[in-house]
Amino acid sequence: MGRLPRLRIAPSFYLFLSLVLALKLERGVGAVFFFVSLHESAHLLAILVFHGRAKELIITPFGLRMTSRGGLTKAEEAIALFMGPLSNLLAAWALFLLSEKTLAAESLALGVYNLLPAKGLDGGRLLALLYEEKGERMASACSIMLAALFMAAAFYLALNKENFLSPLLASWLMILT
């Protein structure tokens, strides 16, 4: 197996953590952060199994982000990219069997979200990997379309005084394009 990556905490994470604690949201955010950590750990495990080199693991307000130095074939990289969402889908299935439907839904949402073909997400990176330059353009176009879709959903939900998750996803996709 390869060498473990360096762990770094982004300064913005401390601000985010302060906000979570001030608003007493630690239970919900804790579960999501756990599923994000599971997701990134699955990526890291696959990279290490294939003797790849993970350079750095960064804790950010949006979860964990990993940078790597390559060393993988296209097939190995595709498997490593897919392992993150797969871990969330498997966790969702196990939690559903344990009747933990809310946690299962959170893990499922994270896994499916990461499979979207948007730039910066695992699905977009897989698209770019499979179709190279054309895949990058396709992922960028998908990002814009998905951001518009999420923004429309956010306006609809805001008008109906519903959950703010869609605007968060929309803004994240806008950042990624």
Side-chain angles (χ1 to χ4, degrees), residues 31-161:
V32 171
F33 197 76
F34 171 79
F35 293 129
V36 169
S37 299
L38 176 69
H39 178 101
E40 293 300 327
S41 296
H43 286 311
L44 178 60
L45 180 62
I47 289 170
L48 294 175
V49 164
F50 293 131
H51 302 288
R53 286 168 261 149
K55 180 180 175 184
E56 189 172 46
L57 191 61
I58 308 161
I59 301 173
T60 74
F62 294 103
L64 298 172
R65 190 180 69 204
M66 184 174 16
T67 60
S68 62
R69 295 185 198 159
L72 301 178
T73 66
K74 271 190 172 185
E76 291 169 340
E77 190 173 346
I79 291 168
L81 283 170
F82 186 68
M83 290 306 293
L86 180 62
S87 71
N88 293 120
L89 299 175
L90 291 173
W93 177 64
L95 288 163
F96 183 79
L97 292 176
L98 294 170
S99 297
E100 293 290 341
K101 291 178 178 48
T102 301
L103 290 174
E106 289 175 8
S107 188
L108 177 66
L110 182 63
V112 170
Y113 174 73
N114 269 284
L115 286 173
L116 292 175
K119 190 173 181 179
L121 296 177
D122 296 329
R125 291 171 60 201
L126 278 166
L127 193 62
L129 181 67
L130 296 173
Y131 294 101
E132 296 173 359
E133 284 184 33
K134 186 178 179 182
E136 284 281 338
R137 289 192 305 273
M138 291 165 60
S140 292
C142 285
S143 294
I144 294 166
M145 289 186 290
L146 287 166
L149 178 69
F150 281 124
M151 195 56 78
F155 285 128
Y156 174 79
L157 291 171
L159 290 174
N160 290 293
K161 298 178 182 163

Side-chain angles (χ1 to χ4, degrees), residues 17-38:
L17 185 59
S18 299
L19 183 63
V20 165
L21 293 173
L23 296 175
K24 298 182 179 176
L25 300 172
E26 53 276 336
R27 185 173 186 270
V29 172
V32 171
F33 197 76
F34 171 79
F35 293 129
V36 169
S37 299
L38 176 69

